[in-house]
Amino acid sequence: MSDGKLALVNEIAYNGDLIVGYIDGSGSATVSNHTDDAEVSDIVKVEETISSRNNDRAVDVVKKGGFDRGRTVGVVEAVFDETIAIRTENGLVEVNRPDETIEEGYTIAITPSQTFSQVLNEEPIEITPKPDIEVDAINLNLGSDNEDRQEETEQRSLFLPENIENVTFDDVIGLQDAKDRLTEAVSLPMEKPDKMAEFDLEGRFGILFYGPPGTGKTMMAKAAANEWGSSDSFFHIGGPEIVSKYYGESERQIRDVFEAAKQKAEEEDEPAVVFIDEIDSVVPRRDRADETERRIVAQFLSELDGLEDRGDIVVIGATNLVEVIDPAVRRPGRFDEEIEFSLPDSGERRDILKVHSQNMPVSSSVDFKNIAEQTRGWSGADLESIVKKAGLIAVKEDRPEVHHEDFMIALERFDEQREAKRQQTKEVRQQE
Ligand code: ADP
C-alpha cells in the first residue's frame, strides 16, 4: 500500500467515484470513494495501487471545502519571467506565467493540476496557511494525527542515508585513475589537515564525476562512503527529483540534505558523502535556467561555500553532461576536481561480467573473454543486465547452470532491443 497523495475533489461521478486533481500537479484521476463524506472542493487522501491508477481510492477527507469549485485560490507573491509564485492555503506554489497582466498581490485561482485559471481580484485576500497540509503536500505521508504525521514525514524524507554496506572499491572494476584521484582528493585533507592549512588548502571541495551512464559513478561514490565513513554515511540526492515544482521547496531540501550529512559526520566523527546524481538538472547553466533553477543554483552554491563550517562532508556530483553545468559550480573551491568515467575496455568488460555472475552457477562453456569481445562500447550497467538476462534464460530452460549459449541469446535480444530503440529515436526525430 502506498503512503497516500493529496488530491482536490473536482466532481463526483454518477457512480459515486471522485474525479480529483492531485495537489502535486501530477494530473487528474477518477478514484473510488472510500470516505464517508467527500464533497466537491474537499481535499482527500488517495491511496495509490501499484497495478493501475484506475484502482486508486480516496480513503480520507483531510480538509473540508475552502476552495472555489475545485480550484485553489491564492495571492501572487512574486512574478518571474516565466512563472509566478502564489501563496495558497497549501503553501507556496509556482505555476507558468499566463499572457495576461499579473501583479504581485493579485488574488487568482489555479486549477487542480496547477495551471493558471483566472484573476479573481486585483487586491489580495487573506490566506491562512494550514501547516499540516503545507508539509504533507510535499512529502505526502499522512498519519492519524498531526504529531505522527510530522514524525513520519521527517522519517520518510529524502535525507536518510542509504545503506551501502556491500560496496567497496574492489567491487568497482577498472577505473584505477578515478580511484586514485578520488582517494588523493579526500585522503590528503583527512590525513594531513595541518599541512593543508599551512599551504592554505583548507576546506572541503566538491568532486565532479562525469561520463556515460552506467559507468559506475554511483557505485564509486558508494564505495567511497564505505571506505571513509560508516555504511550509513551516504546521502543520495536524485537531481531531477529534488527539482521540485513547489516554490522554495528544492532549496529547503538541499539545505536539509547538507544538514543531515553534517550531523551524521559529527556523530560518527567520520566523513559523510553527499552524492548528487544527475547534478546537471540541479545546477544548469544560469544563462539557460529559469527563475526556479537559478534559485536552486544559488542555494546550492551557498551550501558548497559553507562547507568549511560543515564538518567532514565530501560532495560528489555526477553527470553525463558536464558542459551544461553552471560554470560557477565548477570554479576552484567548489567542484574543482573533475574525474572522468570511461567505458570499460575488453579486459574490464570480462571482469565486470565475471563479478556480476559470481553468485550464479556458471557452466565451463561460458567464455567471458569472447563475450567481452562482442560487447565493445557497452557500459558496466549494460554488462550487468546481460548477465541477468542470460541467467533468466537458463532458469526458463530449466538448466542447472548458465551456458555460453544463454549469453549469446541474451546478446542477440539486447542488440534487437537497442536497434528498436534506435529506430524509435530516429522516427521521433524525423517527426519533429
Ligand atoms: P552511473 O552512476 O555511472 O550511471 P552506476 O554506478 O549506477 O552507473 O552503475 C550501474 C551498475 O552497473 C552498478 O550498480 C554496477 O552493478 C554496474 N557497474 C557499472 N560500472 C561498473 C564497474 N566499473 N565495475 C563493476 N560494476 C559496474
Side-chain angles (χ1 to χ4, degrees):
M1 203 174 59
S2 83
D3 300 315
K5 271 170 95 170
L6 293 183
L8 193 62
V9 180
N10 289 321
E11 267 182 80
I12 299 187
Y14 67 94
N15 64 354
D17 282 354
L18 306 179
I19 299 162
V20 300
Y22 286 107
I23 286 190
D24 64 4
S26 61
S28 50
T30 303
V31 300
S32 55
N33 185 3
H34 293 254
T35 71
D36 294 332
D37 56 350
E39 292 175 303
V40 169
S41 90
D42 288 348
I43 293 186
V44 288
K45 175 186 164 189
V46 176
E47 277 179 2
E48 292 174 290
T49 38
I50 306 213
S51 53
S52 152
R53 201 175 214 195
N54 295 333
N55 297 330
D56 292 354
R57 37 195 223 152
V59 291
D60 204 6
V61 174
V62 177
K63 181 185 175 301
K64 296 293 291 174
F67 293 94
D68 173 19
R69 287 197 304 283
R71 297 179 301 174
T72 308
V73 177
V75 173
V76 178
E77 181 135 322
V79 179
F80 302 116
D81 294 346
E82 288 174 11
T83 59
I84 49 177
I86 305 131
R87 180 164 294 285
T88 73
E89 282 189 322
N90 305 320
L92 277 161
V93 172
E94 195 162 19
V95 305
N96 284 338
R97 184 175 169 178
D99 290 337
E100 64 189 272
T101 311
I102 300 281
E103 309 245 339
E104 276 175 32
Y106 276 21
T107 300
I108 65 165
I110 53 175
T111 66
S113 49
Q114 302 203 341
T115 54
F116 171 79
S117 174
Q118 88 184 103
V119 173
L120 300 172
N121 201 311
E122 293 184 4
E123 295 298 319
I125 57 161
E126 194 167 326
I127 300 285
T128 318
K130 294 272 182 281
D132 50 343
I133 290 180
E134 197 165 16
V135 174
D136 290 338
I138 312 299
N139 285 308
L140 303 169
N141 191 358
L142 303 175
S144 49
D145 68 38
N146 229 359
E147 261 174 39
D148 277 2
R149 226 178 277 172
Q150 191 70 32
E151 209 177 289
E152 281 177 52
T153 304
E154 275 163 20
Q155 280 174 4
R156 257 198 80 224
S157 69
L158 277 166
F159 327 126
L160 293 178
E162 260 176 54
N163 195 305
I164 41 141
E165 225 161 314
N166 300 322
V167 195
T168 68
F169 273 153
D170 287 342
D171 297 321
V172 185
I173 306 292
L175 301 167
Q176 194 52 49
D177 185 46
K179 282 182 206 167
D180 291 346
R181 288 187 52 201
L182 186 56
T183 308
E184 194 178 294
V186 180
S187 304
L188 271 184
M190 273 196 295
E191 281 162 15
K192 302 181 179 174
D194 298 342
K195 201 88 187 157
M196 294 293 281
E198 200 183 313
F199 282 75
D200 194 21
L201 295 169
E202 301 156 286
R204 291 253 177 271
F205 44 78
I207 300 162
L208 198 60
F209 287 176
Y210 68 98
T215 44
K217 298 184 287 296
T218 310
M219 194 181 183
M220 183 79 95
K222 286 182 179 173
N226 242 344
E227 213 80 21
W228 301 315
S230 55
S231 61
D232 60 354
S233 60
F234 180 74
F235 293 79
H236 189 162
I237 304 178
E241 287 104 76
I242 211 164
V243 185
S244 145
K245 54 169 93 169
Y246 280 88
Y247 181 80
E249 181 56 13
S250 311
E251 295 96 301
R252 186 180 71 84
Q253 292 188 349
I254 290 170
R255 252 193 332 267
D256 288 357
V257 174
F258 279 89
E259 199 50 48
K262 176 188 152 196
Q263 264 181 22
K264 189 82 211 167
E266 274 171 8
E267 270 166 31
E268 309 268 338
D269 201 18
E270 278 172 332
V273 170
V274 175
F275 178 67
I276 306 128
D277 206 1
E278 294 183 63
I279 191 173
D280 43 280
S281 60
V282 185
V283 284
R285 294 179 66 100
R286 269 179 287 187
D287 52 354
R288 295 187 203 151
D290 66 19
E291 279 297 328
T292 315
E293 290 170 332
R294 278 201 281 271
R295 280 198 320 265
I296 296 172
V297 176
Q299 178 64 40
F300 194 73
L301 293 180
S302 91
E303 291 300 336
L304 284 181
D305 293 345
L307 277 184
E308 266 173 87
D309 320 319
R310 286 188 173 273
D312 265 345
I313 301 177
V314 182
V315 189
I316 300 177
T319 179
N320 314 324
L321 306 158
V322 76
E323 66 286 352
V324 302
I325 291 178
D326 193 302
V329 174
R330 297 171 68 187
R331 229 183 51 195
R334 288 172 176 164
F335 279 89
D336 49 8
E337 187 74 28
E338 297 188 358
I339 301 183
E340 185 176 5
F341 281 62
S342 45
L343 289 166
D345 65 21
S346 169
E348 289 161 355
R349 289 198 297 277
R350 186 199 54 213
D351 290 348
I352 294 174
L353 287 163
K354 278 190 183 164
V355 160
H356 286 293
S357 48
Q358 67 191 359
N359 295 324
M360 208 181 249
V362 178
S363 146
S364 56
S365 70
V366 176
D367 181 350
F368 286 116
K369 187 160 175 266
N370 172 276
I371 304 167
E373 277 158 10
Q374 296 188 50
T375 47
R376 202 169 170 179
W378 287 39
S379 70
D382 294 336
L383 296 164
E384 186 190 6
S385 97
I386 213 72
V387 171
K388 293 225 166 81
K389 281 201 173 78
L392 281 172
I393 293 167
V395 169
K396 202 167 148 227
E397 299 294 323
D398 270 336
R399 282 202 259 275
E401 294 174 317
V402 58
H403 285 254
H404 195 72
E405 192 194 331
D406 300 322
F407 274 96
M408 291 303 108
I409 300 171
L411 278 184
E412 215 169 279
R413 291 198 189 151
F414 198 90
D415 276 344
E416 278 166 18
Q417 278 172 9
R418 275 230 283 223
E419 187 47 43
K421 229 185 244 169
R422 215 176 291 145
Q423 201 58 34
Q424 270 172 5
T425 319
K426 209 166 124 193
E427 277 166 23
V428 170
R429 279 213 195 107
Q430 276 166 357
Q431 278 164 17
E432 282 169 0

